[in-house]
Amino acid sequence: MKNQQVAQVLNEIADLLELRGENVFRVGAYREAARQIEALGEPIGEIDQRGDLDKIPHVGASIAGKIHELLQTGHSRYLEQLQRQVPAGLVELMHVPGLGPKRARQLYDQLGVVTVADLKTAVEQHRVCRLPHFGEKSEANIRQAVEQLLQRTRRLLLSEALPMAERAAEHLRRSSPAERVDLAGSLRRFRETIGDLDLLAASRDPEAVLDAFTRLPGVARVDARGETKATVITEEGLQLDLRVVDPSVYGAALQYFTGSKAHNIKLRTWAEQRGLKISEYGVFRADTDERIAGATEEEVYACMGLPWIPPELREDRGELEAARERRLPELVALEQMRGDLQCHTKWSDGQRTIEEMVRAAESLGYEYLAITDHSQALGVAGGLSSERRREQRAEIEAVNRSLPRLRLLVGMEVDIRSDGALDADEEMLAACDVVVASLHSGLGQSREQVTRRVLAAIHHPRVHVLGHPTNRLIGRREGADLDLDAIIHAAAATGTALEINAQPDRLDLNDSHARRAVESGVRLVISTDAHSDTQLRYMRLGVATARRGWVGPLRVLNTRPLHELLAWLYDKRTEASG
DNA sequence: GCCGTTTTCGGCCCGACTGTTTTCAGTCG
C-alpha cells in the first residue's frame, strides 16, 4: 500500500469524525498525520517493518496501530466502523465548497440529501433555502459550487497555473495603483500541483486594486468581494484570490499567505514561546501589542532569530529547525544551470531540428546541450536504428564545428528493456558522450522485477544518468513501484546520476525523492527532456523541484562548466569499465 | 489524538468573509 493511499484513509477517518461532530483537535490529529505521511520520502511499509511508525511526527501510538493494521490486512476496522455510522456520500457532500461538516449534516438530517446529485436536485427544487441558517444566497452559492464540482476534476499542474497567475500579476502591476504584486500560496512554493491561485498586493488604495482585479481579462464572475480581499473565477473555472494589504505590513502578509499552513503554525507556536505574536499584520509583542516588524519577510524571520527561509522549503520538513541551527542548505538556482543533458529532435519524436534546438540553448546562455534521441525499441517515439544514429552523429559533429560558444554532446536516451538489458549495443553506447537510461514500458511489473531492471541499468558501465526514474505522470499514472532506497544506494555506489526530469507532468524524481538522494550523496542532473525549443524553458520547473528537495548546486552535474562535466562523463565510464 | 527549550496534562494559529443573524456560526485558507 502506498503512502498516498494510507494518507487517504487517515483523511477519510478525519472527515467521518468531523461529520460525527468529534473533537476538532482529534480530527486535526488525523489530518496532520495524513499530511506527514504524504510528505514522507520513504515507503511507509518499510517504516512499519522497522517498527518505527510512531517515530513519524504527529503519529502516536493510536494512529500507528491503525496504520499497522491497514498495512498488514489491507483494511482498517476503525474506518469501517465509522463508515457504518455515517451515511455514505456525506463525505463527498462535505467537500462541496461552502459546505463543511455542520451544514452537510444538516442537509442530510433535514432534507435526506446524501450525494452531490441529491444536493443538485434539492437546490433545483428550492428546498435548501427554506432550511434554518440557509437562505437564497446560500442556495445560489451551493448551486454554483455543485455545477463547478461536476465540471472540474483535477488540480492544475504548476506549469499551467504559473503563467496564468503571472499574467494576472503583471496586469495588476500595470493597471492598478498596487505598489507590489506577488504570487503567494503553493504557487510561490512551486508545489507540483496547484489548487487555487493566490496573489498578494501592497497598496494604500485597496479599493482601486480590487476593482482592477475583478475586471481582469478572463474573469467570468466575482465570487467574493470585501474591503481587503476578493475571489474571482476565471473563464476556465479557476479560482483566483487576491488580498491587498498596506505596504507597511507587506512582508508579514507575504510570509503568511505563502504558507505552508504547517510552516506557519510552527512559526507562530515558536513566536508565542518567545512572547511574540505573528499575524499577517506583523510581529507583535504579546504583552504590549507593540508592533516590531512587518514590512519585509526578512524582518519577520529576524524577529524570531531566524534567517530568511526560501519559500520552496516552507513545508515544515525541518526547515525551521535548520534555520534555527544555521544549517539551511544553499539551494541550486536557475542561473547556475550551464546546460541541458536530455532533449529530443526531429530525428526521433522531437519537433525541432538539431540547429533549432542549438539556437534556443544558446539564447539561454548554455555552454552545452546533449542531444539524446530515443533508442530503437521505442518505435512509437521514432527510435533510431544504428544506421540512423551514425548519420545523426555526423550531423552533430558538423554542427559542432560551426559553434563557437556552445558544445553539442552526442547522447542517447536508451530504453531499459523488460529484462533489464539496454536497447543498444556496446558500439552505439561507446560512441556517445552521455547515455541516459530510462524506463518506458513494463511499468506494471512487480516491485522486485522493476527494481532489478533499473538496478541493472544503474550498474551498467556505460550509463551516466537514470532518466525520469519512476516514470510517473502527475495526475494520470502512478510511477513504477520502485524500491527507491535500493536505487539510491546503487546510484551512490556506482556514481550513476539520477535525473530530475523537468517535464511539467513528470517532475521525476520528485522533491522528497531528490532530498533523499542528496542525503545519500547521489549526484543529480536536472534535464528538461525537451521535445521542442520552447520546452528548454521547463528547466525552471526542474530547478524548483530540486530546491524543494533541498538540493544544492554542487550536487547537480549540469551546473558544472563544460570541462568538468566532460571529465566526469569520461571518468565515470573508465572507472566503471576499469 | 498528539505533543513537551517551564509541561505527561492541558493545550492545540488565527483572522477574513459570508449569510443569516441582531451578535454569531460556519467555512476557508
Side-chain angles (χ1 to χ4, degrees), chain A residues 93-166:
Chain A
L93 212 56
M94 191 174 94
H95 291 149
V96 175
L99 294 185
K102 300 278 163 52
R103 302 179 93 193
R105 188 83 221 187
Q106 193 188 351
L107 287 167
Y108 170 72
D109 288 340
Q110 300 182 355
L111 291 180
V113 167
V114 183
T115 65
V116 174
D118 293 345
L119 181 59
K120 190 163 185 275
T121 312
V123 162
E124 281 161 1
Q125 296 170 346
H126 294 292
R127 289 191 288 142
V128 171
C129 64
R130 291 200 289 271
L131 293 177
H133 306 293
F134 285 83
E136 293 289 342
K137 290 216 170 153
S138 293
E139 188 174 85
N141 287 342
I142 290 170
R143 174 195 291 268
Q144 271 185 340
V146 167
E147 277 165 12
Q148 210 171 312
L149 195 74
L150 294 173
Q151 272 177 16
R152 186 173 149 194
T153 51
R154 64 186 177 96
R155 287 169 66 87
L156 282 185
L157 292 178
L158 175 61
S159 62
E160 301 168 303
L162 260 185
M164 225 173 301
E166 281 170 343

Side-chain angles (χ1 to χ4, degrees), chain A residues 11-20 31 91 94-95:
Chain A
N11 272 321
E12 190 176 348
I13 291 175
D15 287 344
L16 292 166
L17 290 173
E18 210 168 16
L19 282 164
R20 283 184 17 156
R31 293 208 196 286
V91 169
M94 191 174 94
H95 291 149

Side-chain angles (χ1 to χ4, degrees), chain A residues 156-206:
Chain A
L156 282 185
L157 292 178
L158 175 61
S159 62
E160 301 168 303
L162 260 185
M164 225 173 301
E166 281 170 343
R167 265 201 308 277
E170 191 46 43
H171 200 274
L172 276 184
R173 287 184 196 114
R174 283 199 317 266
S175 68
S176 85
E179 292 173 27
R180 277 192 67 174
V181 181
D182 282 285
L183 310 190
S186 51
L187 270 170
R188 185 162 179 246
R189 305 198 311 278
F190 290 93
R191 273 195 56 175
E192 62 190 34
T193 62
I194 306 292
D196 299 326
L197 289 72
D198 295 312
L199 298 177
L200 181 70
S203 178
R204 292 194 171 78
D205 185 2

Side-chain angles (χ1 to χ4, degrees), chain A residues 389-407:
Chain A
R389 200 162 286 280
R390 270 193 294 278
E391 291 170 29
Q392 187 193 39
R393 182 182 167 82
E395 182 183 331
I396 291 175
E397 283 168 354
V399 173
N400 244 339
R401 280 192 290 275
S402 68
L403 294 175
R405 290 192 305 278
L406 183 133
R407 168 71 177 268

Side-chain angles (χ1 to χ4, degrees), chain A residues 213 221-225 229-233 239-242:
Chain A
F213 178 66
R221 111 176 163 252
V222 179
D223 235 25
R225 164 72 194 262
K229 77 186 231 188
T231 298
V232 300
I233 307 292
Q239 182 173 323
L240 206 55
D241 293 332
L242 173 71

